[in-house]
mmCIF file with all atom_site columns, all heavy atoms in Angstrom:
data_model
loop_
_atom_site.group_PDB
_atom_site.id
_atom_site.type_symbol
_atom_site.label_atom_id
_atom_site.label_alt_id
_atom_site.label_comp_id
_atom_site.label_asym_id
_atom_site.label_entity_id
_atom_site.label_seq_id
_atom_site.pdbx_PDB_ins_code
_atom_site.Cartn_x
_atom_site.Cartn_y
_atom_site.Cartn_z
_atom_site.occupancy
_atom_site.B_iso_or_equiv
_atom_site.pdbx_formal_charge
_atom_site.auth_seq_id
_atom_site.auth_comp_id
_atom_site.auth_asym_id
_atom_site.auth_atom_id
_atom_site.pdbx_PDB_model_num
ATOM 1   N N   . GLY A 1 16  ? 60.063 -114.584 -77.674 1.00 0.00 ? 175 GLY A N   1
ATOM 2   C CA  . GLY A 1 16  ? 60.338 -115.891 -77.483 1.00 0.00 ? 175 GLY A CA  1
ATOM 3   C C   . GLY A 1 16  ? 61.589 -116.200 -78.320 1.00 0.00 ? 175 GLY A C   1
ATOM 4   O O   . GLY A 1 16  ? 62.142 -117.450 -78.072 1.00 0.00 ? 175 GLY A O   1
ATOM 5   N N   . ARG A 1 26  ? 86.952 -100.705 -83.821 1.00 0.00 ? 185 ARG A N   1
ATOM 6   C CA  . ARG A 1 26  ? 87.886 -100.024 -84.599 1.00 0.00 ? 185 ARG A CA  1
ATOM 7   C C   . ARG A 1 26  ? 89.233 -100.821 -84.628 1.00 0.00 ? 185 ARG A C   1
ATOM 8   O O   . ARG A 1 26  ? 89.460 -101.405 -83.695 1.00 0.00 ? 185 ARG A O   1
ATOM 9   C CB  . ARG A 1 26  ? 88.239 -98.588  -83.908 1.00 0.00 ? 185 ARG A CB  1
ATOM 10  C CG  . ARG A 1 26  ? 87.240 -97.557  -84.174 1.00 0.00 ? 185 ARG A CG  1
ATOM 11  C CD  . ARG A 1 26  ? 87.767 -96.235  -83.605 1.00 0.00 ? 185 ARG A CD  1
ATOM 12  N NE  . ARG A 1 26  ? 88.699 -96.390  -82.419 1.00 0.00 ? 185 ARG A NE  1
ATOM 13  C CZ  . ARG A 1 26  ? 89.623 -95.524  -82.042 1.00 0.00 ? 185 ARG A CZ  1
ATOM 14  N NH1 . ARG A 1 26  ? 89.912 -94.490  -83.031 1.00 0.00 ? 185 ARG A NH1 1
ATOM 15  N NH2 . ARG A 1 26  ? 90.406 -95.847  -81.117 1.00 0.00 ? 185 ARG A NH2 1
ATOM 16  N N   . GLN A 1 41  ? 64.810 -95.587  -70.355 1.00 0.00 ? 200 GLN A N   1
ATOM 17  C CA  . GLN A 1 41  ? 65.902 -95.971  -69.589 1.00 0.00 ? 200 GLN A CA  1
ATOM 18  C C   . GLN A 1 41  ? 67.228 -95.411  -69.867 1.00 0.00 ? 200 GLN A C   1
ATOM 19  O O   . GLN A 1 41  ? 68.283 -95.668  -69.250 1.00 0.00 ? 200 GLN A O   1
ATOM 20  C CB  . GLN A 1 41  ? 66.116 -97.574  -69.754 1.00 0.00 ? 200 GLN A CB  1
ATOM 21  C CG  . GLN A 1 41  ? 65.039 -98.401  -69.145 1.00 0.00 ? 200 GLN A CG  1
ATOM 22  C CD  . GLN A 1 41  ? 64.961 -98.451  -67.766 1.00 0.00 ? 200 GLN A CD  1
ATOM 23  O OE1 . GLN A 1 41  ? 65.894 -98.357  -67.070 1.00 0.00 ? 200 GLN A OE1 1
ATOM 24  N NE2 . GLN A 1 41  ? 63.796 -98.315  -67.166 1.00 0.00 ? 200 GLN A NE2 1
ATOM 25  N N   . GLY A 1 42  ? 67.396 -94.615  -70.924 1.00 0.00 ? 201 GLY A N   1
ATOM 26  C CA  . GLY A 1 42  ? 68.585 -93.972  -71.285 1.00 0.00 ? 201 GLY A CA  1
ATOM 27  C C   . GLY A 1 42  ? 69.644 -94.972  -71.827 1.00 0.00 ? 201 GLY A C   1
ATOM 28  O O   . GLY A 1 42  ? 69.235 -95.939  -72.386 1.00 0.00 ? 201 GLY A O   1
ATOM 29  N N   . GLU A 1 53  ? 88.256 -111.384 -73.088 1.00 0.00 ? 212 GLU A N   1
ATOM 30  C CA  . GLU A 1 53  ? 87.922 -111.655 -71.748 1.00 0.00 ? 212 GLU A CA  1
ATOM 31  C C   . GLU A 1 53  ? 86.867 -110.654 -71.197 1.00 0.00 ? 212 GLU A C   1
ATOM 32  O O   . GLU A 1 53  ? 87.004 -109.476 -71.470 1.00 0.00 ? 212 GLU A O   1
ATOM 33  C CB  . GLU A 1 53  ? 89.049 -111.815 -70.690 1.00 0.00 ? 212 GLU A CB  1
ATOM 34  C CG  . GLU A 1 53  ? 90.057 -112.955 -71.143 1.00 0.00 ? 212 GLU A CG  1
ATOM 35  C CD  . GLU A 1 53  ? 90.887 -113.281 -70.137 1.00 0.00 ? 212 GLU A CD  1
ATOM 36  O OE1 . GLU A 1 53  ? 90.730 -112.755 -68.889 1.00 0.00 ? 212 GLU A OE1 1
ATOM 37  O OE2 . GLU A 1 53  ? 91.665 -114.269 -70.330 1.00 0.00 ? 212 GLU A OE2 1
ATOM 38  N N   . ARG A 1 55  ? 85.335 -108.084 -68.825 1.00 0.00 ? 214 ARG A N   1
ATOM 39  C CA  . ARG A 1 55  ? 86.107 -107.192 -68.040 1.00 0.00 ? 214 ARG A CA  1
ATOM 40  C C   . ARG A 1 55  ? 85.068 -106.509 -66.902 1.00 0.00 ? 214 ARG A C   1
ATOM 41  O O   . ARG A 1 55  ? 85.592 -106.286 -65.807 1.00 0.00 ? 214 ARG A O   1
ATOM 42  C CB  . ARG A 1 55  ? 86.746 -105.968 -68.829 1.00 0.00 ? 214 ARG A CB  1
ATOM 43  C CG  . ARG A 1 55  ? 87.590 -105.111 -68.091 1.00 0.00 ? 214 ARG A CG  1
ATOM 44  C CD  . ARG A 1 55  ? 88.878 -105.905 -67.528 1.00 0.00 ? 214 ARG A CD  1
ATOM 45  N NE  . ARG A 1 55  ? 89.486 -105.167 -66.595 1.00 0.00 ? 214 ARG A NE  1
ATOM 46  C CZ  . ARG A 1 55  ? 90.802 -104.803 -66.827 1.00 0.00 ? 214 ARG A CZ  1
ATOM 47  N NH1 . ARG A 1 55  ? 91.353 -105.098 -67.891 1.00 0.00 ? 214 ARG A NH1 1
ATOM 48  N NH2 . ARG A 1 55  ? 91.499 -104.041 -65.814 1.00 0.00 ? 214 ARG A NH2 1
ATOM 49  N N   . ASN A 1 77  ? 74.137 -112.018 -77.792 1.00 0.00 ? 236 ASN A N   1
ATOM 50  C CA  . ASN A 1 77  ? 72.995 -112.879 -78.021 1.00 0.00 ? 236 ASN A CA  1
ATOM 51  C C   . ASN A 1 77  ? 71.894 -112.546 -77.181 1.00 0.00 ? 236 ASN A C   1
ATOM 52  O O   . ASN A 1 77  ? 72.234 -112.453 -75.843 1.00 0.00 ? 236 ASN A O   1
ATOM 53  C CB  . ASN A 1 77  ? 73.535 -114.391 -77.747 1.00 0.00 ? 236 ASN A CB  1
ATOM 54  C CG  . ASN A 1 77  ? 74.697 -114.698 -78.590 1.00 0.00 ? 236 ASN A CG  1
ATOM 55  O OD1 . ASN A 1 77  ? 74.538 -114.669 -79.897 1.00 0.00 ? 236 ASN A OD1 1
ATOM 56  N ND2 . ASN A 1 77  ? 75.882 -114.867 -78.027 1.00 0.00 ? 236 ASN A ND2 1
ATOM 57  N N   . LEU A 1 78  ? 70.734 -112.426 -77.519 1.00 0.00 ? 237 LEU A N   1
ATOM 58  C CA  . LEU A 1 78  ? 69.483 -112.102 -76.726 1.00 0.00 ? 237 LEU A CA  1
ATOM 59  C C   . LEU A 1 78  ? 68.531 -113.266 -76.973 1.00 0.00 ? 237 LEU A C   1
ATOM 60  O O   . LEU A 1 78  ? 68.219 -113.532 -78.104 1.00 0.00 ? 237 LEU A O   1
ATOM 61  C CB  . LEU A 1 78  ? 68.891 -110.788 -77.224 1.00 0.00 ? 237 LEU A CB  1
ATOM 62  C CG  . LEU A 1 78  ? 69.889 -109.642 -77.505 1.00 0.00 ? 237 LEU A CG  1
ATOM 63  C CD1 . LEU A 1 78  ? 69.084 -108.389 -78.056 1.00 0.00 ? 237 LEU A CD1 1
ATOM 64  C CD2 . LEU A 1 78  ? 70.757 -109.230 -76.218 1.00 0.00 ? 237 LEU A CD2 1
ATOM 65  N N   . SER A 1 80  ? 64.986 -115.733 -75.631 1.00 0.00 ? 239 SER A N   1
ATOM 66  C CA  . SER A 1 80  ? 63.639 -115.610 -75.040 1.00 0.00 ? 239 SER A CA  1
ATOM 67  C C   . SER A 1 80  ? 63.252 -114.177 -75.002 1.00 0.00 ? 239 SER A C   1
ATOM 68  O O   . SER A 1 80  ? 62.685 -113.545 -73.901 1.00 0.00 ? 239 SER A O   1
ATOM 69  C CB  . SER A 1 80  ? 63.751 -116.140 -73.568 1.00 0.00 ? 239 SER A CB  1
ATOM 70  O OG  . SER A 1 80  ? 64.199 -117.459 -73.587 1.00 0.00 ? 239 SER A OG  1
ATOM 71  N N   . GLU A 1 82  ? 61.570 -110.611 -75.066 1.00 0.00 ? 241 GLU A N   1
ATOM 72  C CA  . GLU A 1 82  ? 60.343 -110.039 -74.648 1.00 0.00 ? 241 GLU A CA  1
ATOM 73  C C   . GLU A 1 82  ? 60.068 -108.660 -75.279 1.00 0.00 ? 241 GLU A C   1
ATOM 74  O O   . GLU A 1 82  ? 61.016 -108.141 -75.803 1.00 0.00 ? 241 GLU A O   1
ATOM 75  C CB  . GLU A 1 82  ? 60.425 -109.850 -73.125 1.00 0.00 ? 241 GLU A CB  1
ATOM 76  C CG  . GLU A 1 82  ? 60.658 -111.178 -72.373 1.00 0.00 ? 241 GLU A CG  1
ATOM 77  C CD  . GLU A 1 82  ? 60.834 -111.044 -70.849 1.00 0.00 ? 241 GLU A CD  1
ATOM 78  O OE1 . GLU A 1 82  ? 60.836 -109.784 -70.469 1.00 0.00 ? 241 GLU A OE1 1
ATOM 79  O OE2 . GLU A 1 82  ? 61.072 -112.007 -70.093 1.00 0.00 ? 241 GLU A OE2 1
ATOM 80  N N   . GLY A 1 84  ? 59.756 -105.830 -73.920 1.00 0.00 ? 243 GLY A N   1
ATOM 81  C CA  . GLY A 1 84  ? 60.517 -104.834 -73.305 1.00 0.00 ? 243 GLY A CA  1
ATOM 82  C C   . GLY A 1 84  ? 61.867 -104.770 -73.780 1.00 0.00 ? 243 GLY A C   1
ATOM 83  O O   . GLY A 1 84  ? 62.690 -103.902 -73.378 1.00 0.00 ? 243 GLY A O   1
ATOM 84  N N   . GLY A 1 100 ? 91.590 -92.552  -69.769 1.00 0.00 ? 259 GLY A N   1
ATOM 85  C CA  . GLY A 1 100 ? 92.040 -91.980  -71.021 1.00 0.00 ? 259 GLY A CA  1
ATOM 86  C C   . GLY A 1 100 ? 91.611 -92.575  -72.291 1.00 0.00 ? 259 GLY A C   1
ATOM 87  O O   . GLY A 1 100 ? 91.912 -92.232  -73.387 1.00 0.00 ? 259 GLY A O   1
ATOM 88  N N   . GLY A 1 106 ? 79.390 -97.421  -82.328 1.00 0.00 ? 265 GLY A N   1
ATOM 89  C CA  . GLY A 1 106 ? 78.877 -97.805  -83.790 1.00 0.00 ? 265 GLY A CA  1
ATOM 90  C C   . GLY A 1 106 ? 77.470 -97.232  -83.903 1.00 0.00 ? 265 GLY A C   1
ATOM 91  O O   . GLY A 1 106 ? 76.938 -96.518  -83.002 1.00 0.00 ? 265 GLY A O   1
ATOM 92  N N   . ARG A 1 110 ? 68.824 -101.444 -84.235 1.00 0.00 ? 269 ARG A N   1
ATOM 93  C CA  . ARG A 1 110 ? 67.526 -101.247 -83.645 1.00 0.00 ? 269 ARG A CA  1
ATOM 94  C C   . ARG A 1 110 ? 66.717 -102.568 -83.700 1.00 0.00 ? 269 ARG A C   1
ATOM 95  O O   . ARG A 1 110 ? 66.393 -103.072 -84.730 1.00 0.00 ? 269 ARG A O   1
ATOM 96  C CB  . ARG A 1 110 ? 66.780 -100.320 -84.466 1.00 0.00 ? 269 ARG A CB  1
ATOM 97  C CG  . ARG A 1 110 ? 65.365 -99.929  -83.755 1.00 0.00 ? 269 ARG A CG  1
ATOM 98  C CD  . ARG A 1 110 ? 64.700 -98.714  -84.362 1.00 0.00 ? 269 ARG A CD  1
ATOM 99  N NE  . ARG A 1 110 ? 65.436 -97.439  -84.060 1.00 0.00 ? 269 ARG A NE  1
ATOM 100 C CZ  . ARG A 1 110 ? 65.356 -96.810  -82.945 1.00 0.00 ? 269 ARG A CZ  1
ATOM 101 N NH1 . ARG A 1 110 ? 64.715 -97.329  -81.867 1.00 0.00 ? 269 ARG A NH1 1
ATOM 102 N NH2 . ARG A 1 110 ? 66.007 -95.745  -82.743 1.00 0.00 ? 269 ARG A NH2 1
#
Side-chain angles (χ1 to χ4, degrees):
Chain A
R185 286 189 326 153
Q200 291 290 327
E212 296 199 359
R214 187 61 189 247
N236 300 296
L237 315 176
S239 302
E241 302 175 358
R269 181 168 294 283

